[in-house]
Amino acid sequence: MGLFLIAEVAIAAPKGKAAPPVGAGPQGISDLAPIPLTSGVNELKRFSPDGRSAIIIRAWRDNGNAWGHSTYMVMMKPSEMGSGLRGGWNLVSVEAETPPGVAEIVRDSPHTGEDALRSVVFAHGRVDGKPQTLLLIATRTMKDAVTDPAPTTIAVYQLVTNAQDDDPVGDTIDAFHRIRSWQTKKPYCSSDTALAMELGIPRPSESEAPNGPDGCP
């Protein structure tokens, strides 16, 4: 999947109103284009803003019940400014939800598919008008039952390359750093629906959440 380069188009604003700024959207995030992933090895061309490719491994962890989940591991070759294994693939870490620290894999929690608790989407888009590669995660805080409407947190991570002279111990050359995080104003019955409603992206094809603004039955 190539990097989606969104051309800036001049749009005539209605008389008396200013044109919306580039990057206008939830938290300055716009033009999101989710990157479709299949089970197994996904080779992605022009994954990063600087044009490098990536491999994302998506593996299902069967649990024998409704608590199975997918795990995601991202790998990239270092840029010219990076170091690491010569000619090889380096792990791309993700900033820990509770800093400090990093995660080496990311996982979702679809539960039955109708009432997902945690959704993971990789996407290309713009942050404050600039093309970026992003990781979008919605997490519902379960109350008494999985099916209950629950407070939901949206977290947006941006792919960055750490400079050699500013590379913190324990981090990786390329990493997803959290740049936005907010709790939704309303509760949701599906994290898939939360991502769709809060960021304006399609629900994953495998989502079985009821149609509606909150994903509730």
Side-chain angles (χ1 to χ4, degrees), residues 78-133:
S79 65
E80 292 181 0
M81 66 183 294
S83 58
L85 182 64
R86 184 181 300 275
W89 294 91
N90 287 344
L91 179 74
V92 179
S93 64
V94 179
E95 182 179 335
E97 293 184 49
T98 306
V102 297
E104 296 186 350
I105 61 171
V106 180
R107 75 179 196 179
D108 59 21
S109 183
H111 199 241
T112 65
E114 298 179 356
D115 48 13
L117 284 166
R118 182 179 172 91
S119 300
V120 172
V121 172
F122 291 88
H124 290 125
R126 289 181 180 270
V127 177
D128 298 329
K130 296 182 179 180
Q132 302 291 350
T133 302

Side-chain angles (χ1 to χ4, degrees), residues 77-211:
K77 290 187 177 181
S79 65
E80 292 181 0
M81 66 183 294
S83 58
L85 182 64
R86 184 181 300 275
W89 294 91
N90 287 344
L91 179 74
V92 179
S93 64
V94 179
E95 182 179 335
E97 293 184 49
T98 306
V102 297
E104 296 186 350
I105 61 171
V106 180
R107 75 179 196 179
D108 59 21
S109 183
H111 199 241
T112 65
E114 298 179 356
D115 48 13
L117 284 166
R118 182 179 172 91
S119 300
V120 172
V121 172
F122 291 88
H124 290 125
R126 289 181 180 270
V127 177
D128 298 329
K130 296 182 179 180
Q132 302 291 350
T133 302
L134 304 169
L135 168 61
L136 317 172
I137 300 179
T139 306
R140 295 171 58 229
T141 302
M142 188 176 71
K143 292 188 173 182
D144 295 331
V146 181
T147 54
D148 291 341
T152 305
T153 299
I154 306 294
V156 179
Y157 298 78
Q158 180 178 308
L159 179 66
V160 300
T161 299
N162 294 312
Q164 284 183 291
D165 57 357
D166 190 34
D167 192 5
V169 174
D171 207 342
T172 54
I173 296 171
D174 293 290
F176 281 100
H177 286 181
R178 186 168 59 250
I179 58 168
R180 305 282 193 276
S181 181
W182 69 93
Q183 183 165 312
T184 61
K185 293 181 179 180
K186 65 179 181 182
Y188 286 92
C189 293
S190 166
S191 53
D192 291 335
T193 301
L195 272 187
M197 297 301 297
E198 297 290 324
L199 291 174
I201 60 175
R203 293 188 311 177
S205 59
E206 63 267 25
S207 176
E208 298 180 4
N211 291 322

